């Protein structure tokens, strides 16, 4: 069902959801925006540009208990199956979540991720404010017509089109049933928002057609850009940290004071960090910064696309903003590879 | 958060949950390497093939990927050789028989000894140092199915005589009909009367029909380049040379990203590859 509601009705509904279940939403945080626990609808900022971290943090938490142990081999699996709602996911972040779903489902199912995910209700919203470095328009993620449970779009005139597509969405949208159905005009206005966003979410312009990216990378392995840009890399992993499609992790044990009870947890890791590919005994298979730097762009543009059939950069632009050395812009990297190719 | 009741179904579901195994016997092999024999508490055999690895866990310390060094043809126990290099491996060295570890796996690809690509052919095993550990599993497998293979040649190189592994077993192999075993050490000691030099010095000492021979190579990263070049010069085909790659296989199930070599996950697609599979993979060798 697709409804149209005013701002007040929208807030009333969000407050109802908050009263019922664990709810997260985008809120102001200093000069920036962040997904945080949502206590009242009035705090929800659907007009945000981009959040500091993507909503990934609720689906793959920075630190996540996998197992609890109470002796040498007494392990219990720990699953988080408490339902929750996330309000205000931009389409590019939604696309990143859909990619994570595919990855954690593929071959060996990761029940820790998948069970948590199955209890998440994703309420997306179309972009109102263009952020400093977004290029989702070039990545096919300026808007999505499916993949969310609910999509909220602010249309011309100030009303919101609320598109409820799944059972999970309907389960939290009872009170919207009585709202007006979106008419043709409202749907046309939403289409206009989509078209506008597709055109304007292009702060950086990717010259490479997405389907040609793997082949371009295939040919560009020895390109001087890797060494040149990596020379300025601090190996700080900020690009990994803020990336909605980065999901690599390390596994660690934390043991209690009795040296018997404890947990095995996974924590975010990043392929730009120096020790990422180091093995016991100290040999590091990606010791050079340039190798680690290149690996990131290959993973997003070639390796993961070969695995899941989608470009694993969604154009959020967070890495561009986060990088101290200003070398993390994927568009600059991919365009540079194209220029080199054209020179020949 | 909720904790799952431990049920058989859930055990299979959680790819991160180890199952208990008991240490039956262990023996110090060298200053750094120790041999361990385990049995899964469930009573089932591990179900591995030569070249595969398991994740060994000690609660409170962590997990590490370790190659299985025994053949599945040798009963329902399995054996590991562990070099003491970090927290987990140091703690493993302290274990006494009767104590338990957690095991996940077996994981990864294996030396294809049971396939038509290898059966009926001569096998040339080339191992440097603890590279012998995963390869021993294949050697035992082949010896236990002796009629299925042609000649067996084993080249082993250690840093010093004191670093040699499976010394008694190697003597047995040496005494077996149709098995050629040659050894070298990088640096001899006062007692060593054998060959001195890197492992490639042994390759010219053996004759084989390149069309009818398969090589299984395992050793430190630097060894692969030199050995493979020699083998190619001796006209061995890239698809008949098998290597086992070491990487940081943190999760073992193709998720965590640590063992990735370009587009390949070593824990899933490897650790065993034919040279044909990895020769154009820049980060592999």
């Amino acid at each position: 069902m697709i409804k149209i509601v005013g701002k007040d009705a929208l807030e009333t509904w969000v407050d109802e959801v908050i009263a019922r279940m664990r709810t997260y939403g985008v809120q102001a945080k200093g000069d920036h925006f962040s997904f945080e626990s949502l206590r009242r609808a009035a705090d929800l900022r659907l007009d945000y540009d981009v959040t500091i971290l993507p909503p990934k943090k609720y689906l793959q938490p920075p630190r996540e208990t996998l197992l609890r142990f109470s002796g040498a081999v007494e392990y219990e699996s720990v699953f988080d199956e408490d339902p929750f709602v996330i309000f205000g996911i931009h389409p590019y972040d939604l696309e990143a979540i859909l990619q994570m779903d595919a990855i954690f489902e593929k071959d060996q199912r990761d029940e820790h991720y998948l069970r948590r995910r199955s209890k998440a209700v994703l309420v997306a919203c179309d972009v109102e404010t263009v952020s400093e470095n977004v290029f989702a328009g070039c990545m096919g993620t300026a808007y999505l017509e499916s993949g969310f449970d609910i999509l909220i779009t602010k249309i011309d005139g100030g009303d919101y089109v609320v598109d409820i597509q799944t059972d999970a969405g309907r389960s939290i949208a009872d009170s919207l049933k009585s709202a007006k159905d979106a008419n043709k005009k409202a749907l046309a206005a939403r289409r206009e928002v989509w078209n506008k966003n597709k055109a304007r979410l292009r702060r950086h312009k990717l010259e490479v057609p997405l389907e040609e990216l793997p082949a371009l990378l295939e040919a560009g392995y020895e390109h001087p850009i890797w060494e040149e840009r990596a020379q300025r890399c601090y190996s700080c992993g900020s690009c990994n940290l803020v990336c909605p499609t980065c999901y690599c992790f390390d596994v660690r044990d934390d043991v209690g004071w009795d040296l018997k009870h404890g947990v095995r947890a996974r924590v975010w890791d990043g392929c730009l960090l120096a020790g990422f590919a180091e093995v016991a005994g100290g040999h590091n298979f990606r010791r050079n910064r340039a190798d680690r730097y290149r690996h990131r762009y290959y993973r997003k543009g070639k390796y993961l696309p070969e695995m899941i059939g989608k470009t694993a950069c969604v154009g959020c632009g967070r890495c561009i903003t986060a990088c101290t050395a200003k070398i993390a812009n994927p568009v600059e990297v991919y365009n540079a590879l194209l220029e080199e190719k054209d020179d020949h | 958060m909720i904790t799952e009741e431990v049920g058989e179904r859930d055990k299979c579901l959680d790819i991160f949950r180890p199952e208990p195994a008991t240490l039956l016997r262990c023996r110090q092999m060298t200053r750094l390497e120790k041999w361990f024999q385990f049995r899964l508490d469930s009573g089932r055999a591990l179900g591995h093939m030569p070249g595969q690895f398991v994740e060994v866990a000690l609660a409170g310390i962590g997990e590490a990927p370790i190659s299985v060094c025994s053949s599945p043809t040798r009963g329902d126990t399995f054996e590991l050789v562990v070099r003491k290099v970090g927290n987990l491996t140091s703690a493993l060295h302290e274990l006494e028989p009767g104590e338990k570890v957690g095991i996940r796996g077996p994981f990864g690809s294996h030396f294809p000894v049971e396939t038509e690509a290898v059966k009926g052919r001569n096998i040339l095993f080339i191992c440097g140092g603890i590279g012998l550990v995963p390869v021993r599993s294949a050697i035992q497998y082949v010896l236990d199915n002796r009629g299925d293979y042609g000649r067996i040649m084993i080249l082993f190189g250690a840093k010093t005589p004191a670093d040699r592994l499976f010394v008694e077993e190697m003597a047995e192999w040496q005494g077996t009909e149709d098995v050629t075993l040659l050894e070298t050490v990088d640096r001899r000691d006062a007692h060593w009367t054998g060959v001195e030099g890197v492992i490639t010095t042994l390759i010219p000492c053996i004759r084989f029909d390149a069309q009818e021979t398969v090589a299984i190579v395992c050793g430190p990263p630097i060894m692969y380049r030199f050995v493979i070049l020699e083998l190619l010069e001796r006209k061995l085909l890239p698809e008949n040379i098998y290597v086992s790659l070491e990487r940081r296989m943190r999760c073992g199930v193709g998720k965590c990203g640590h063992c990735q070599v370009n587009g390949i996950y070593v824990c899933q697609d490897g650790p065993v590859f034919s040279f044909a599979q990895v020769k154009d993979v820049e980060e592999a060798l």
Side-chain angles (χ1 to χ4, degrees):
Chain A
M1 59 182 182
I2 308 181
K3 300 291 183 179
I4 180 162
V5 296
K7 190 168 176 23
D8 290 346
L10 187 80
E11 287 198 352
T12 304
W13 166 57
V14 172
D15 274 326
E16 280 171 19
V17 174
I18 292 170
R20 274 175 55 190
M21 61 202 290
R22 183 157 61 117
T23 306
Y24 304 107
V26 178
Q27 293 160 64
K29 190 174 188 181
D31 296 336
H32 302 281
F33 294 95
S34 175
F35 283 95
E36 301 288 343
S37 282
L38 193 62
R39 287 186 183 77
R40 52 199 190 107
D43 293 339
L44 181 64
R45 290 289 299 273
L46 296 181
D47 62 335
Y48 76 102
D49 55 356
V50 64
T51 56
I52 300 167
L53 290 181
K56 171 186 83 175
K57 65 183 181 180
Y58 298 123
L59 297 162
Q60 190 199 358
R63 187 180 180 288
E64 173 188 4
T65 299
L66 299 174
L67 301 164
R68 191 172 295 136
F69 53 80
S70 54
V73 285
E74 286 75 34
Y75 292 98
E76 292 172 291
S77 297
V78 178
F79 297 112
D80 175 6
E81 296 185 282
D82 185 16
F84 63 100
V85 185
I86 309 176
F87 275 102
I89 302 170
H90 276 168
Y92 48 80
D93 279 339
L94 179 66
E95 169 60 23
I97 292 171
L98 299 177
Q99 292 189 10
M100 294 241 295
D101 294 350
I103 285 156
F104 284 112
E105 263 173 19
K106 192 178 176 292
D107 302 330
Q108 310 241 25
R109 287 173 56 83
D110 187 321
E111 290 293 328
H112 297 275
Y113 174 88
L114 293 170
R115 290 193 190 191
R116 182 184 295 106
R117 172 69 176 90
S118 72
K119 299 293 175 170
V121 185
L122 305 184
V123 183
C125 73
D126 277 307
V127 178
E128 290 183 39
T129 310
V130 180
S131 69
E132 184 190 354
N133 284 312
V134 67
F135 54 98
C138 309
M139 308 309 286
T141 57
Y143 68 93
L144 291 181
E145 297 189 38
S146 63
F148 45 81
D149 294 305
I150 298 177
L151 172 69
I152 304 173
T153 312
K154 189 179 186 182
I155 55 171
D156 201 22
D159 283 343
Y160 293 87
V161 173
V162 182
D163 186 346
I164 302 140
Q165 280 198 353
T166 64
D167 287 340
R170 280 183 281 277
S171 75
I172 65 161
D174 308 336
S175 63
L176 291 179
K177 273 185 192 149
S178 55
K180 263 197 306 182
D181 286 328
N183 56 19
K184 271 188 182 166
K185 195 178 150 214
L187 293 181
R190 180 172 73 163
R191 177 65 62 182
E192 209 170 290
V193 170
W194 288 351
N195 289 339
K196 196 175 71 179
N197 279 351
K198 195 178 169 188
R200 69 184 183 141
L201 300 184
R202 291 173 188 258
R203 289 295 178 102
H204 307 279
K205 291 186 178 54
L206 186 70
E207 311 289 347
V208 192
L210 287 183
E211 61 279 9
E212 288 175 24
L213 205 46
L216 184 70
L217 285 163
E218 177 79 51
Y221 201 78
E222 303 296 341
H223 195 287
I225 189 173
W226 309 119
E227 195 60 53
E228 279 165 24
R229 292 175 78 102
Q231 277 181 9
R232 290 185 278 145
C233 178
Y234 293 110
S235 301
C236 69
S238 296
C239 51
N240 296 134
L241 181 72
V242 299
C243 181
T245 68
C246 273
Y247 62 86
C248 288
F249 58 86
D250 198 7
V251 180
R252 290 180 193 167
D253 281 16
D254 284 331
V255 67
W257 58 269
D258 62 352
L259 300 181
K260 195 174 164 217
H261 292 78
V263 297
R264 182 157 299 151
R266 67 171 150 206
V267 293
W268 287 359
D269 206 344
C271 61
L272 267 293
L273 299 173
F276 188 77
E278 195 172 79
V279 294
H283 189 88
N284 190 338
F285 287 96
R286 234 174 269 121
R287 194 180 68 244
N288 299 324
R289 270 181 302 178
D291 292 343
R292 296 195 297 275
Y293 179 80
R294 176 173 55 196
H295 184 72
R296 174 171 165 79
Y297 295 96
Y298 271 69
R299 211 170 136 86
K300 305 298 181 195
K302 183 170 189 292
Y303 306 149
L304 285 172
E306 285 166 354
M307 195 164 109
I308 58 168
K310 287 168 152 188
T311 305
C313 171
V314 294
C316 71
R318 289 186 181 94
C319 55
I320 306 173
T321 310
C323 182
T324 310
K326 298 296 165 215
I327 53 168
N329 187 336
V331 176
E332 284 176 12
V333 171
Y334 295 139
N335 285 348
L337 293 176
L338 190 68
E339 280 165 31
E340 174 76 5
K341 196 175 151 227
D342 291 344
D343 287 346
H344 292 304
Chain B
M1 286 199 182
I2 63 157
T3 301
E4 279 279 302
E5 278 302 305
V6 180
E8 282 307 312
R9 190 184 68 93
D10 298 315
K11 264 185 195 164
C12 307
L13 277 177
D14 186 358
I15 52 179
F16 291 98
R17 182 154 73 210
E19 61 174 293
T22 302
L23 176 61
L24 305 176
R25 295 189 293 158
C26 57
R27 184 163 48 87
Q28 196 72 36
M29 296 190 93
T30 68
R31 191 172 59 84
L32 287 178
E33 280 100 21
K34 196 167 179 175
W35 169 88
F36 299 88
Q37 184 183 45
F38 292 99
R39 182 184 283 123
L40 293 175
D41 289 4
S42 66
R44 73 169 179 92
L46 181 63
H48 69 293
M49 282 297 284
Q52 287 194 294
F53 69 96
V54 287
E55 294 278 351
V56 183
L58 288 173
I61 298 170
E63 268 190 320
I66 310 278
S67 294
V68 180
C69 71
S70 56
S71 167
T73 51
R74 303 267 167 121
D76 60 358
T77 62
F78 63 96
E79 300 168 24
L80 310 173
V81 167
V82 177
R83 175 177 281 181
K84 189 175 172 177
V85 281
N87 288 341
L88 184 94
T89 51
S90 297
L92 282 175
H93 273 231
E94 300 299 316
L95 283 183
E96 302 279 351
E99 291 192 281
K100 291 180 190 297
V101 299
I103 295 289
R104 289 191 300 130
F107 294 122
S109 62
H110 60 275
F111 298 117
V113 284
E114 84 289 13
T115 68
E116 296 311 311
V118 179
K119 277 185 169 179
R121 295 182 142 160
N122 308 317
I123 310 183
L124 170 57
F125 296 99
I126 305 182
C127 319
I130 52 171
L132 180 61
V133 170
V135 171
R136 173 179 176 256
S137 173
I139 293 173
Q140 287 186 340
Y141 186 97
V142 166
L143 291 176
D144 291 346
N145 296 282
R146 190 64 192 90
D148 290 345
Y149 308 92
R151 279 174 59 214
I152 299 194
M153 298 158 278
I154 304 167
L155 309 184
F156 174 63
K159 272 189 183 142
T160 73
D163 296 312
R164 296 164 68 224
L165 299 169
F166 299 111
V167 176
E168 286 158 28
E169 198 167 346
M170 278 203 284
E172 263 175 53
W173 296 342
Q174 188 128 43
T176 308
E177 203 183 335
D178 272 348
V179 174
T180 308
L181 186 143
L182 300 176
E183 277 194 82
T184 180
V185 295
D186 292 352
R187 285 189 316 278
R188 71 170 76 228
D189 63 11
H191 310 289
W192 183 254
T193 54
V195 181
E196 185 183 48
V198 293
I199 187 121
T200 43
T201 50
L202 296 176
I203 298 176
C205 307
I206 46 164
R207 288 159 184 266
F208 52 83
D209 174 356
Q211 295 304 312
E212 284 307 313
T213 302
V214 167
I216 288 179
V217 184
C218 190
I222 185 76
M223 190 190 102
Y224 287 110
R225 288 170 187 271
F226 294 103
V227 167
I228 288 169
L229 275 179
E230 288 272 333
L231 294 178
L232 294 174
E233 256 174 51
R234 295 284 296 270
K235 305 290 179 219
L236 230 69
L237 297 172
E239 54 268 37
N240 288 339
I241 302 172
Y242 294 93
V243 297
S244 176
L245 301 187
E246 181 194 14
R247 287 298 185 276
R248 182 174 171 186
M249 294 167 288
R250 209 80 183 91
C251 73
V253 288
K255 307 291 183 204
C256 81
H258 283 94
C259 71
Q260 205 179 2
V261 172
N262 298 111
I264 292 170
Y265 280 90
V266 174
C267 73
Q268 297 272 288
D269 308 323
V272 174
F273 298 94
S274 75
F275 179 59
Q277 283 176 294
V278 293
K279 66 183 167 55
D280 298 321
V281 178
E282 288 89 346
E283 290 182 336
L285 293 168

